[in-house]
Amino acid sequence: MKTIYFVRHGESESNVAGIVSGGGNDIHLTATGRDQAKKAGQDLKGKGIELIVCSPMIRTVETATIIAKEIGYKPEDIVTNLLFVERAYGIYEGRPSEIFQEHLQNNTVHDSVETTEQIYERLGKALDWLREQKQNTILVVSHGGAGRAVRAINQNLHHSHMYKLEAFKNAEIYEFKL
């Protein structure tokens, strides 16, 4: 059985601006986000992490690199995997979050958005990929929507219940067995 530490990236520029940033909006961490990543790294010291995997997006790579330095893991050994990218928000990318939330609540989300079923399926494949890795203690640095999918899968919930789960905070650590 593997121990997985899932961490959402630190605070990003779009988090502060209240802008939708999914798989199509690649932005940097803020100074606060870098501090959050450093704190997460301090909290992960001594956990025996053998592999760090992250989404290839800037905010997750920055977070993973900061954590790696804190725990004594070589940043050049971080593995990026597209399966851990954030949900694709289509036409809502770069727009105010309230617009997407309003459409989500009214069940009128544009068809350019990756469905909950699609992200659930993709993150299921990501967890299968983690199972195939030889390492038993793995850190995954990813995104909030991806994290909700992981949490729903881990709790054996239907994909439609994904957004009923509490949102991940920036740099929050979620530990589970796989």
Side-chain angles (χ1 to χ4, degrees):
M1 185 162 287
K2 295 180 185 291
T3 300
I4 308 297
Y5 295 97
F6 182 98
V7 176
R8 180 184 177 200
H9 61 80
E11 179 187 79
S12 68
E13 295 167 354
S14 60
N15 292 144
V16 172
I19 302 297
V20 175
S21 283
N25 195 2
D26 213 1
I27 39 69
H28 291 275
L29 296 179
T30 63
T32 297
R34 290 188 289 280
D35 289 343
Q36 291 169 334
K38 185 172 183 167
K39 168 82 168 72
Q42 291 166 352
D43 292 344
L44 290 165
K45 277 184 185 175
K47 299 289 186 185
I49 292 169
E50 303 167 90
L51 175 65
I52 298 178
V53 180
C54 69
S55 152
M57 301 194 79
I58 292 169
R59 57 196 182 269
T60 53
V61 172
E62 286 179 340
T63 301
T65 300
I66 292 167
I67 292 172
K69 290 176 182 175
E70 285 296 314
I71 67 171
Y73 186 95
K74 290 191 259 178
E76 60 270 18
D77 290 341
I78 296 170
V79 174
T80 59
N81 187 319
L82 282 169
L83 291 172
F84 292 102
V85 141
E86 180 58 297
R87 181 180 187 181
Y89 288 105
I91 66 165
Y92 304 102
E93 297 277 345
R95 297 177 71 192
S97 299
E98 311 83 58
I99 294 170
F100 175 71
Q101 291 303 320
E102 181 181 318
H103 285 262
L104 187 63
Q105 289 173 351
N106 295 330
N107 271 341
T108 58
V109 172
H110 191 267
D111 62 6
S112 64
V113 176
E114 184 177 21
T115 66
T116 56
E117 185 174 12
Q118 290 167 328
I119 191 172
Y120 190 93
E121 182 180 324
R122 177 166 53 84
L123 270 296
K125 289 177 184 175
L127 295 179
D128 289 343
W129 181 85
L130 289 176
R131 283 185 190 93
E132 295 170 2
Q133 303 311 300
K134 65 180 180 181
Q135 296 87 352
N136 289 314
T137 307
I138 301 172
L139 168 64
V140 175
V141 181
S142 188
H143 306 270
R148 281 183 167 168
V150 165
R151 195 178 268 162
I153 293 165
N154 190 48
Q155 294 178 18
N156 293 315
L157 299 175
H158 189 267
H159 69 84
S160 63
H161 296 285
M162 209 172 86
Y163 280 88
K164 293 177 183 172
L165 297 172
E166 187 176 339
F168 275 84
K169 295 176 182 81
N170 291 110
E172 178 182 346
I173 300 168
Y174 172 59
E175 178 182 349
F176 64 98
K177 300 293 184 190
L178 190 61

